[in-house]
Amino acid sequence: MIEICHSNRGNADLSGTPEELKTIAQSIQDLLDSEAASITFDAETGHDPAPYDANVPTLRIRKGTGPGKASLTDEELLIEGSPESLLRFTSYLDFPPNAQPSNHTRYEYWTGADWISPESMPLIIGIRQRREEDETRVHLEELVQLAISMGAGNA
C-alpha cells in the first residue's frame, strides 16, 4: 500500500513500490479515458512519518483544467489538472521494477515546466522500503511464472 506523508513546511512525499506506482499511473490513464471526475487511493497510515510530520490517508486524482497542481488537506493529497497535465504526472510514477528506496522524482514547479502550476506544493515521489508481505507476493509471482515456464499449466 502506498504511503503519503507531509511536513508542516509545505511539502509532501508519496511512496510506494514500483508496482504500486505503476498501478496508480495506469489508473490515472483509465480515469482520463472515462467519464469519471476523480479517483482515490487509500494510503497506509500506521507507520512513523519521520522525517515528515504526519501521514495522509488518501490520494485523490481529479480531472480539472490547466497545469497540474498538488495540494494537501489533513485527509488527502490532491493532484488535479487538465487531462494533458495528469498524463504528464504519470511519468513521475514510472520506476524500473528493481528501483531502490533511494530512487525518487520531484513533482514541483520550475521555470519552463508549464504542465505544473506555480501554486503546486513540492512533492517527492519515491520508492518505499519493501515490506515482508511485498516480498512474499513477489516470490509467489516468481514461482507461478517458473511453473508456467516448466509446462505445469499444460497438463
Side-chain angles (χ1 to χ4, degrees):
M1 183 176 278
I2 61 171
E3 297 174 357
I4 306 169
C5 305
H6 76 89
S7 77
N8 295 330
R9 295 179 304 279
N11 58 343
D13 178 277
L14 166 62
S15 299
T17 64
E19 297 84 6
E20 289 167 340
L21 297 175
K22 183 178 183 175
T23 296
I24 292 171
Q26 182 59 56
S27 295
I28 293 170
Q29 291 176 353
D30 293 344
L31 170 68
L32 297 177
D33 292 337
S34 76
E35 296 298 319
S38 68
I39 188 169
T40 59
F41 303 89
D42 293 331
E44 174 66 46
T45 58
H47 65 283
D48 179 1
Y52 294 89
D53 297 310
N55 294 312
V56 180
T58 306
L59 169 64
R60 178 181 305 276
I61 309 294
R62 183 168 60 200
K63 291 183 202 175
T65 59
K69 179 181 174 186
S71 60
L72 188 69
T73 69
D74 289 339
E75 297 301 317
E76 70 180 19
L77 171 62
L78 173 64
I79 309 295
E80 62 183 327
S82 69
E84 297 81 17
S85 296
L86 292 177
L87 190 58
R88 291 287 290 266
F89 176 76
T90 64
S91 69
Y92 291 81
L93 302 169
D94 187 22
F95 291 88
N98 62 344
Q100 299 300 306
S102 60
N103 295 138
H104 66 279
T105 58
R106 294 179 180 271
Y107 182 78
E108 59 187 325
Y109 177 78
W110 47 272
T111 303
D114 58 352
W115 62 92
I116 302 175
S117 170
E119 298 172 2
S120 183
M121 72 182 304
L123 174 63
I124 295 173
I125 302 170
I127 302 302
R128 70 165 170 76
Q129 187 68 39
R130 288 190 180 270
R131 297 185 195 104
E132 186 174 323
E133 63 267 22
D134 296 331
E135 294 301 322
T136 300
R137 182 183 47 75
V138 168
H139 291 298
L140 286 173
E141 290 172 0
E142 290 171 351
L143 287 172
V144 167
Q145 289 302 317
L146 178 61
I148 291 170
S149 70
M150 294 178 68
N154 295 328

